[in-house]
Amino acid sequence: MSTVSTDYYLIDADLPEHVRDLRDRVRGFVDTELLPVINDYWDRAEFPFPLVPGLAALGVAGYTAQGPGCPELSPLEAGIVIRELARGDGSITTFMGVQSGLAMGTIALLGDDEQKERWLPAMAALERIGAFALTEPAHGSDSVRLETSARRDGDGWVLDGAKRWIGNASFADVVVVWARDTADGRVGAFVVESDPEHGYPAGYSAEVITGKIGKRAVWQPDVVLDGVRVPAANRLPGARSFHDASRVLATTRGGAAWESLGHAMAAFDAALAYTAHREQFGRPIAGFQLVQQTLAGMLAEVVSMQLWCARMAELQERGEWTGPMASLAKLHHARRARQVCLDARDLLGGNGLLLEHHVARHLTDMEVVHTYEGTDHIQSLIVGRDLTGLSAFA
């Protein structure tokens, strides 16, 4: 899959050599191992477990985390990894995003040294899979109001509640659960562990949500916590309020912008290649004015997103990246990538509905990206509050 056309402003051409090497390594995995099989898994709504060893061999799991065993990539390197995975498939991108940014990122940011040593190296090697349980059946956009409870009981904690859309949670070894302390009402994070011999602790159950139109190859279950006991050593000491959950989400929200870029690049490349070969009225449709106008508009959006992402990496490297900046990037990129994928589907006509051309998968996966990590409306309110100093949240 060529990307010469999408590097119209020579952004990739100016990447440092080691970043280009990283890009090519991930791209090679995507092109040779992922793309030949992913449509079948997506169509059957099955998670592609055979791809996990290849992902592990890339050595990029934990790309946003800082801690033992983590690759400790720069913001630019991490973004390139996310972009290249998304050029291949959104389900794999979400699996790695949950593993790297949400589960490992939470432990790295909010765990103590013992907890980091206990969990991060095996998670970085993808020997142990992580999940991040925040969203609840009744609390998505208003997850700050979460109802899952944590009650201190002797030398441990007891968790009760329900979570929804929790990626990897049906087979994860390490599940970070956000819950409210019944004693003081403060929000904390607790790690529920599974082990090969006994499985999950009593009271933990996960049922994969079915019937999704997008990201069908990643499993996102409903989780029930019914008196789940967690050792005191599994409470993350740095998680003392919902603000700490927001700190984690601010880092992953930038990743959603990089992912959107990857989907848009893939859709544009597919549309450009298709229109060059598809003939109607005796010639390739790429020679028609309306098609060229659409391609040019799609490319303008892709280049815009590339420039945004490059600037985002610079600000993150300098420590000047903020939560509202992340919200603006996510809002902008999800909107624009969604449209680019829709334009690509339109250019492919009826064939755009077929998985074999990949565009339909990227289009429906972008419907998921448009919602997760905070909807368009929520991102707008975060930016609006930052601009005006006035909160419009109910």
Side-chain angles (χ1 to χ4, degrees), residues 150-159 182 229-232:
R151 171 175 55 86
R152 188 63 191 253
D153 183 50
D155 60 353
W157 293 83
V158 177
L159 306 181
T182 57
R229 296 192 65 84
V230 175

Side-chain angles (χ1 to χ4, degrees), residues 77-88:
E77 291 171 316
I80 291 294
V81 168
I82 298 168
R83 185 194 79 182
E84 291 301 314
L85 289 175
R87 282 183 59 253

Side-chain angles (χ1 to χ4, degrees), residues 93-180:
T93 310
T94 293
F95 166 73
M96 286 292 282
V98 171
Q99 177 80 2
S100 300
L102 292 174
M104 294 179 67
T106 301
I107 293 168
L109 184 66
L110 305 175
D112 59 30
D113 290 342
E114 186 277 331
Q115 291 168 334
K116 295 175 187 178
E117 289 284 354
R118 190 186 347 160
W119 290 311
L120 291 180
M123 295 177 76
L126 290 179
E127 295 169 357
R128 304 194 78 187
I129 304 304
F132 178 90
L134 175 64
T135 306
E136 299 180 349
H139 300 290
S141 295
D142 68 341
S143 54
V144 66
R145 298 179 182 273
L146 66 86
E147 297 178 31
T148 300
S149 66
R151 171 175 55 86
R152 188 63 191 253
D153 183 50
D155 60 353
W157 293 83
V158 177
L159 306 181
D160 288 284
K163 300 292 185 179
R164 186 165 174 81
W165 298 111
I166 310 305
N168 307 344
S170 58
F171 59 89
D173 306 285
V174 177
V175 183
V176 178
V177 176
W178 292 87
R180 192 177 301 279

Side-chain angles (χ1 to χ4, degrees), residues 47-70:
F47 181 76
F49 287 103
L51 292 178
V52 173
L55 283 168
L58 293 174
V60 298
Y63 45 69
T64 60
Q66 303 289 314
C70 298

Side-chain angles (χ1 to χ4, degrees), residues 162-332:
K163 300 292 185 179
R164 186 165 174 81
W165 298 111
I166 310 305
N168 307 344
S170 58
F171 59 89
D173 306 285
V174 177
V175 183
V176 178
V177 176
W178 292 87
R180 192 177 301 279
D181 190 339
T182 57
D184 58 16
R186 297 175 70 87
V187 171
F190 305 81
V191 175
V192 175
E193 288 187 272
S194 172
D195 68 71
E197 184 177 352
H198 301 102
Y200 292 109
Y204 179 96
S205 62
E207 182 176 352
V208 175
I209 297 170
T210 60
K212 294 190 301 178
I213 67 163
K215 300 222 176 190
R216 289 171 53 81
V218 67
W219 289 344
Q220 296 167 297
D222 283 317
V223 174
V224 173
L225 302 151
D226 183 8
V228 176
R229 296 192 65 84
V230 175
N234 283 27
R235 178 173 185 172
L236 302 182
R240 296 178 293 270
S241 70
F242 190 82
H243 171 72
D244 296 308
S246 298
R247 290 166 60 199
V248 176
L249 295 175
T251 63
T252 59
R253 205 163 284 142
W258 280 102
E259 179 185 353
S260 298
L261 171 58
H263 287 299
M265 289 172 64
F268 175 81
D269 278 335
L272 183 62
Y274 181 86
T275 57
H277 295 97
R278 173 66 169 175
E279 292 191 2
Q280 293 287 279
F281 306 103
R283 59 188 174 121
I285 63 173
F288 290 99
Q289 290 180 346
L290 289 176
V291 171
Q292 291 189 4
Q293 180 186 38
T294 302
L295 289 170
M298 293 166 66
L299 179 61
E301 299 293 6
V302 169
V303 171
S304 171
M305 286 187 280
Q306 289 172 332
L307 294 170
W308 274 62
C309 283
R311 180 58 173 168
M312 174 169 61
E314 291 175 356
L315 292 172
Q316 288 172 327
E317 190 70 44
R318 286 162 32 182
E320 297 177 14
W321 187 246
T322 67
M325 287 178 180
S327 290
L328 187 63
K330 200 273 180 175
L331 179 154
H332 175 270

